Amino acid sequence: MGGQVPYRGDRYLRWPEVQAWCEAAAAAHPEWLSLRVLGRTDGGRPLLLLTLGAAGPDRAERPALWIDGGTHAAEWAGVMSTVYTVSRWLEALVAGDKALRHWFETHTVFAMPCISPDGFDALREGHPFLRSTLRPPPPGTVRVGLDPQDVDGDGAVRWMRWRHPAGPFVPDPELPMFMRPRRLEDDPSEAFFLCDEGRLLEWDGHRWTSARLAHGLDLNRNFPGHWAPFSMFGMDGGAYPLSAPESRAVVDAFAARPSIGAALTLHTYTGALLSQPYRKDSPLSGGDLLLMERLGRELVEGTGYRFSKVHPDFTYDPDKPVVGVWSDTMAVTFGVPAYTLELWDPFAFAGVPNEKPTDFFVKPDPAVVRGLVERFSKIEGAVTPWRPFDHPQLGPVEIGGLDYLRTIRNPPVAELAAECDRSFRVADRLRRALPRVSATAHISPLGEGLERIEVVLENSGFLATSGLAHGAGLSGTPPVSARLHVGEGVERVDGAAGQGLGHIDGWGGGRHSGGHPIYPALPSNGHRAVARWIVRGSGPVRIEWRGGRGGHGALKVDV
């Protein structure tokens, strides 16, 4: 890669390093990569967008894949995997991979490494856990209760426990770091309270409660798709959709690039590719849902990731729709097949399979939790043993626990490269699904000086030129069209100069609508569209065509 050092997934980068890597890569290889600042966060950090594809005036208009990470600040593996994926492609391009070079000469990838750089940077520097950004509580908010803080001054916020007969946890005698839920027969003298390390705000000297999160905005509930007021686990979706500068910049960037035909947003954790529907009453058709399922299952084949429909497989409450999610917005607002990839399966790593990941957050199985703690306790540096501390408010307590952000939330460093590689394989497959339109012109003499011009647009890609069928009805989806420009000496006799041609199926759509080998049939729209004109005279003509999300081009012929 010339003077640019590839990112191998061998360590977790800090935000300045992510920014520096992007800047250096774009500077070293302008023939393949460019960098743009979409806007800035409230903290002044740039929102970076990488554009990967052969340099040229039409780079942003070619059929394109979107990939991003870091919607949630604690999900570092998504940021690392986005950088890793761009690095892998760029390295192969610079090395001269002929097939990949041909693809990137006719396609583009837009990659946003980190949607929440303020929160990501804060957590990488030891800030207490937060969801996305550093947005403060609304004016007038009074926070009462335990506020996670580093009270012992070791630079990290860990767990804190103290013995009390009203405590809801008891220690496991065989696994010191595991605090299991208390049972009725347990001795009250062995009971503990367990919480994050921190201090009690506005404390009355008696009650032990948790304070509202200082930074509770969940960016993945702040997008337009089915947005509604949201509150869960102390988090909220903002006062209105796109109330955060990060989500607004992302949506504006996506909308400004209508050539995007598919998308992948990277999160952690559970090791699952999440797909539509997001609610029981999905606006997507059954055909779109089936197409996304079949494509999604192929994307994760052999990677170890599972495929899950958000509704009903990945919801906390099947009767409560998930709102304001970025991948749902890309599908329902823009008509683009978009997936959320939840990297890293700590349950499989620990040997305690968890078939219903969302249950882990609301009704955890103590055996599964114990298995996680036991497995990660064997990794050097992943656990800080309980140690006594004189808390300024509570008196004698103990502080210790797992390095949550490098064990459960994200893979341990030794596992990061493998996780990045799995994620890369999904993205590399998804780029191959984009629509791809080509055009050919046919001239037929009709006699008496007249000739018929036919331009055939053909889609050889998996996806339709509208992305999803749902996209065909959305104003932001670029249409398929052709326009004839005649030169001197040529007269257009019949056929409108500009012709709208609907949308063209991809072969993936044909597979779900007519791909049953026992009941074969042809697709509804077909993989070709035709524009026709009749002209008189002789000379050059130019036909400009647009293939929806499948690209654009021009033909020059003489009649």
Side-chain angles (χ1 to χ4, degrees):
M1 288 181 62
Q4 170 65 12
V5 177
Y7 173 66
R8 306 291 193 193
D10 54 339
R11 65 190 184 91
Y12 285 104
L13 303 179
R14 297 180 181 273
W15 169 249
E17 294 174 306
V18 172
Q19 183 176 347
W21 189 93
C22 294
E23 293 170 346
H29 302 290
E31 74 279 15
W32 293 111
L33 189 68
S34 66
L35 177 64
R36 181 171 182 172
V37 175
L38 300 177
R40 292 195 175 267
T41 66
D42 287 335
R45 291 173 181 82
L47 296 166
L48 304 177
L49 181 70
L50 292 164
T51 301
L52 182 63
D58 69 334
R59 177 157 58 181
E61 297 184 72
R62 300 169 192 155
L65 171 69
W66 173 280
I67 181 172
D68 65 59
T71 305
H72 292 143
E75 298 171 3
W76 304 343
V79 179
M80 301 302 104
S81 290
T82 304
V83 174
Y84 177 94
T85 294
V86 173
S87 182
R88 279 281 299 269
W89 281 327
L90 184 59
E91 186 177 11
L93 290 170
V94 173
D97 184 311
K98 290 184 178 180
L100 196 66
R101 280 191 167 209
H102 176 70
W103 193 90
F104 273 103
E105 287 166 356
T106 54
H107 299 78
T108 297
V109 170
F110 298 109
M112 192 169 183
C114 187
I115 293 177
S116 297
D118 284 357
F120 174 80
D121 189 39
L123 285 179
R124 290 292 287 116
E125 297 300 324
H127 191 283
F129 184 86
L130 58 90
R131 187 58 165 169
S132 293
T133 76
L134 294 175
R135 184 214 66 182
T141 300
V142 178
R143 298 180 62 235
V144 178
L146 185 116
D147 181 48
Q149 299 178 19
D150 174 22
V151 296
D152 64 358
D154 70 347
V157 179
R158 307 187 190 279
W159 298 337
M160 184 168 68
R161 71 178 186 179
W162 62 96
R163 195 182 298 270
H164 193 280
F169 293 91
V170 295
D172 186 315
E174 298 178 356
L175 186 61
M177 292 313 306
F178 177 52
M179 300 291 291
R180 68 167 173 81
R182 181 177 170 181
R183 299 174 59 85
L184 293 174
E185 63 267 24
D186 289 326
D187 186 341
S189 67
E190 293 297 316
F192 281 79
F193 278 92
L194 177 69
C195 62
D196 289 323
E197 176 186 356
R199 296 175 184 267
L200 291 153
L201 305 178
E202 306 291 339
W203 191 39
D204 61 7
H206 301 285
R207 298 175 69 242
W208 296 330
T209 60
S210 293
R212 178 174 175 171
L213 294 177
H215 309 291
L217 174 64
D218 185 345
L219 272 185
N220 212 32
R221 298 295 183 273
N222 191 234
F223 288 96
H226 297 113
W227 187 91
F230 164 82
S231 178
M232 185 176 69
F233 303 146
M235 300 176 293
D236 67 89
Y240 54 89
L242 305 183
S243 60
E246 295 88 352
S247 56
R248 183 174 295 276
V250 171
V251 168
D252 285 347
F254 196 94
R257 294 162 175 79
S259 63
I260 297 169
L264 187 67
T265 179
L266 304 179
H267 289 245
T268 67
Y269 58 104
T270 63
L273 184 72
L274 306 185
S275 182
Q276 294 283 344
Y278 271 74
R279 52 182 55 220
K280 186 176 182 179
D281 56 340
S282 173
L284 302 185
S285 67
D288 277 342
L289 297 178
L290 183 56
L291 180 142
M292 285 194 66
E293 179 177 353
R294 290 186 172 179
L295 175 57
R297 291 189 184 279
E298 187 169 336
L299 294 177
V300 299
E301 187 175 338
T303 64
Y305 296 128
R306 75 184 84 181
F307 174 88
S308 291
K309 300 175 185 178
V310 173
H311 177 87
D313 302 332
F314 213 88
T315 58
Y316 300 104
D317 181 350
D319 295 325
K320 188 175 181 180
V322 180
V323 300
V325 174
W326 176 218
S327 58
D328 189 39
T329 297
M330 288 187 275
V332 303
T333 303
F334 294 105
V336 171
Y339 298 90
T340 296
L341 181 57
E342 296 280 355
L343 305 172
W344 180 233
D345 188 350
F347 308 103
F349 179 78
V352 285
N354 186 20
E355 295 302 320
K356 185 68 173 174
T358 53
D359 282 355
F360 180 76
F361 302 104
V362 292
K363 48 180 180 180
D365 181 347
V368 171
V369 179
R370 189 186 193 283
L372 290 172
V373 175
E374 182 176 18
R375 178 65 181 88
F376 289 117
S377 294
K378 298 176 181 178
I379 296 178
E380 184 178 357
V383 169
T384 299
W386 295 112
R387 59 179 183 270
F389 179 74
D390 189 15
H391 192 278
Q393 294 168 309
L394 301 172
V397 301
E398 293 175 279
I399 295 176
L402 283 177
D403 183 352
Y404 168 74
L405 292 176
R406 296 173 184 82
T407 55
I408 294 177
R409 196 85 214 180
N410 299 286
V413 173
E415 304 297 324
L416 177 59
E419 197 64 34
C420 288
D421 183 68
R422 280 191 284 271
S423 172
F424 169 78
R425 289 162 63 189
V426 175
D428 198 53
R429 286 174 179 169
L430 184 55
R431 72 172 173 85
R432 303 168 192 268
L434 294 175
R436 180 62 195 172
V437 176
S438 59
T440 55
H442 304 273
I443 311 296
S444 304
L446 299 177
E448 299 182 358
L450 299 176
E451 289 185 293
R452 177 186 293 116
I453 302 174
E454 291 185 326
V455 170
V456 179
L457 304 183
E458 180 170 335
N459 180 17
S460 58
F462 175 93
L463 292 168
T465 57
S466 60
L468 297 172
H470 177 71
L474 301 175
S475 60
T477 301
V480 176
S481 63
R483 179 172 292 275
L484 177 71
H485 300 271
V486 297
E488 186 176 351
V490 179
E491 175 190 6
R492 177 172 50 84
V493 175
D494 189 44
Q499 299 183 23
L501 303 175
H503 277 284
I504 312 174
D505 288 329
W507 61 266
R511 183 168 66 173
H512 90 73
S513 61
H516 196 303
I518 303 300
Y519 307 105
L522 295 174
S524 54
N525 293 325
H527 74 293
R528 289 175 178 161
V530 183
R532 296 180 175 89
W533 301 272
I534 296 177
V535 299
R536 176 186 288 115
S538 62
V541 299
R542 175 183 171 86
I543 302 106
E544 294 180 348
W545 60 268
R546 290 194 170 272
R549 300 187 190 278
H552 68 101
L555 299 172
K556 293 181 179 180
V557 296
D558 291 316
V559 295

